[in-house]
Amino acid sequence: MHALDNNCPHNGGPLSKGTLDGQALTCPWHGWRWDVTSGRNEWPGTNWRAPRVPVRIVGDEIQLPVL
C-alpha cells in the first residue's frame, strides 16, 4: 500500500484529483507523473520527489498519520 502527499511538488496541484495508471499518478494540473511506490517524478532528467506518507494496515482499517 502506498500514499503520497496531496500537493504536487511541481506547482501544488491536488494529486488526489489526478489519475492512477498502474503505479503512475498523474497530476491533474500539468500532467506531471509520479511513481506512487517511490514518489519519484517520471519525467526524464528530473530528480523531484513527491513526499511519501506512511501507511499502516490495522485489521480492516487503512491508517494514515494526521498531517
Side-chain angles (χ1 to χ4, degrees):
M1 179 105 14
H2 305 282
L4 298 178
D5 184 85
N6 188 42
N7 296 312
C8 179
H10 166 244
N11 204 15
L15 292 177
S16 62
K17 303 286 184 186
T19 56
L20 184 63
D21 181 16
Q23 295 180 175
L25 176 62
T26 302
C27 177
W29 283 9
H30 299 109
W32 283 48
R33 291 170 50 96
W34 305 93
D35 181 325
V36 296
T37 65
S38 67
R40 236 172 215 244
N41 183 273
E42 292 190 346
W43 295 110
T46 64
N47 291 321
W48 289 31
R49 288 184 183 263
R52 294 182 68 221
V53 177
V55 178
R56 191 168 83 167
I57 309 286
V58 176
D60 60 351
E61 292 183 352
I62 299 170
Q63 298 180 346
L64 302 170
V66 176
L67 302 176

